[in-house]
């Protein structure tokens, strides 16, 4: 639901969905990444950086999540420039 909302520009509603996913499963790397994206969109850079770092940490060393880790690192690098 979050990704559909996010794609259609309903960033606040998408952020809520991702936050709920993280509340249920704090190890959900994709939800942390997507929530970070939403927070960037609404100008909450500090909170976004925290979540992008979390996505990177949760993905570290997991082959299946290597792409997610790379995407999160790029977003974080862009955010910190």
């Amino acid at each position: 639901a979050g990704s559909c909302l996010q794609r259609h520009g309903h960033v606040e509603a998408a952020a809520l969905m991702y936050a709920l996913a993280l509340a249920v499963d704090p190890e959900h790397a994709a939800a942390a990444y997507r929530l970070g994206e939403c927070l960037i969109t609404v100008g909450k850079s500090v909170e976004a950086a925290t979540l992008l770092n979390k996505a990177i940490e949760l993905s570290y060393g997991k082959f299946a999540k290597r792409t997610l880790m790379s995407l999160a690192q790029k977003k974080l690098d862009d955010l910190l420039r």
Side-chain angles (χ1 to χ4, degrees):
S3 60
C4 183
L5 289 165
Q6 188 178 4
R7 272 195 310 271
H8 290 287
H10 303 287
V11 179
E12 291 85 6
L16 178 60
M17 294 292 111
Y18 299 132
L20 289 171
L22 282 170
V24 171
D25 180 4
E27 305 280 309
H28 197 304
Y33 171 74
R34 295 294 183 191
L35 181 52
E37 280 188 321
C38 290
L39 292 175
I40 289 170
T41 301
V42 297
K44 295 185 177 182
S45 300
V46 173
E47 296 93 335
T50 299
L51 284 156
L52 292 171
N53 273 318
K54 179 175 182 156
I56 292 165
E57 289 170 13
L58 292 171
S59 301
Y60 188 78
K62 297 178 179 144
F63 183 79
K65 295 183 180 177
R66 185 176 56 189
T67 300
L68 176 65
M69 189 172 90
S70 295
L71 290 170
Q73 186 64 60
K74 179 168 180 358
K75 287 267 185 206
L76 184 59
D77 291 345
D78 291 345
L79 187 62
L80 298 176
R81 284 187 200 168

